[in-house]
Amino acid sequence: MNFIIPSEVLSFPFTVCEEEELQQIQNKVKDFMESLLENNQTNELTLSEYELNSLADKGQGFKAMAPKSKTYRHYTLESNSITLKDLTYPDPTLYKGYMITINSIKISIEDGELNGSLTRISQNDRKIFFGISEKWNGSRIFRDIFYTNGLDEIDKIVSKLESIQIEEKCIRFIPKRLAPQSPE
């Protein structure tokens, strides 16, 4: 069998981490989420670009002989913006056997609601939706970080956050501060 992996696939920035390290990152997120949703005073959650990418692909990296088509994700965090690069491989129905898309994401919390926009740009000559969406709910990045199942869970998390800050190489989730309780 002649099996040649395209150079564009091999040059994709896969993130690999040990199972123990992934578990530590997941516990960091889980502790934050539990504290946040139980209305406990909580510190902010700061994830590095590496931690975010480890969560997104569960630290598994590239599977050259995957039994079915798989989508890999890689986030790049820049000042006030996120770039999400998706690779779908292998897939014989796709042009060249793979597809790469790049999404430029702007995300913020305003008045307790998640606001954002997504600009999608196709790579490798595929024609797909292009442009800025009118309303983008941020579900992909929240699912990758918090492993949420639906928009209701995302809304619950967002309602407890003061802001989301995107900085060079990290993302910060800053909770609303609870009003101090008066002693009785």
Side-chain angles (χ1 to χ4, degrees):
M1 178 177 175
N2 188 4
F3 186 71
I4 299 172
I5 299 171
S7 62
E8 295 86 352
V9 171
L10 293 173
S11 65
F12 189 84
F14 300 101
T15 301
V16 179
C17 72
E18 297 294 324
E19 184 64 35
E20 185 177 302
E21 186 178 16
L22 178 62
Q23 189 66 46
Q24 289 173 351
I25 298 167
Q26 289 171 328
N27 286 340
K28 176 179 171 179
V29 171
K30 181 182 171 198
D31 292 345
F32 171 79
M33 215 167 113
E34 285 175 357
S35 180
L36 183 72
L37 296 177
E38 291 173 5
N39 290 325
N40 295 331
Q41 187 75 23
T42 188
N43 294 324
E44 64 189 44
L45 173 64
T46 301
L47 294 172
S48 68
E49 196 172 86
Y50 171 76
E51 290 172 315
L52 172 58
N53 286 308
S54 294
L55 289 168
D57 281 327
K58 297 180 180 57
Q60 296 176 1
F62 180 59
K63 303 254 189 261
M65 299 299 284
K68 61 181 181 177
S69 184
K70 180 168 173 39
T71 299
Y72 302 92
R73 287 181 292 285
H74 182 79
Y75 290 94
T76 304
L77 303 172
E78 300 163 10
S79 184
N80 296 322
S81 73
I82 302 167
T83 302
L84 171 59
K85 189 174 186 177
D86 284 323
L87 163 68
T88 303
Y89 179 83
D91 192 333
T93 65
L94 293 174
Y95 177 68
K96 296 184 183 179
Y98 69 93
M99 182 170 59
I100 295 173
T101 56
I102 297 176
N103 301 293
S104 178
I105 302 167
K106 300 285 186 189
I107 190 170
S108 65
I109 294 178
E110 296 172 18
D111 300 323
E113 298 218 358
L114 188 62
N115 290 316
S117 65
L118 174 95
T119 302
R120 182 168 289 158
I121 304 164
S122 176
Q123 301 296 297
N124 68 313
D125 304 324
R126 286 280 291 191
K127 300 289 186 233
I128 61 169
F129 170 77
F130 174 81
I132 297 176
S133 64
E134 291 179 27
K135 180 81 171 156
W136 180 72
N137 61 26
S139 63
R140 171 82 277 151
I141 193 166
F142 273 79
R143 281 193 307 243
D144 285 345
I145 294 171
F146 297 106
Y147 299 140
T148 60
N149 291 327
L151 294 177
D152 290 341
E153 290 177 83
I154 293 171
D155 289 343
K156 193 180 291 186
I157 294 167
V158 168
S159 72
K160 306 283 184 172
L161 295 174
E162 182 69 36
S163 67
I164 298 172
Q165 296 178 358
I166 313 301
E167 299 166 359
E168 288 298 318
K169 307 288 180 203
C170 73
I171 184 169
R172 295 173 55 210
F173 295 87
I174 301 169
K176 292 179 181 174
R177 301 295 177 204
L178 297 176
Q181 306 258 332
S182 59
E184 298 193 42

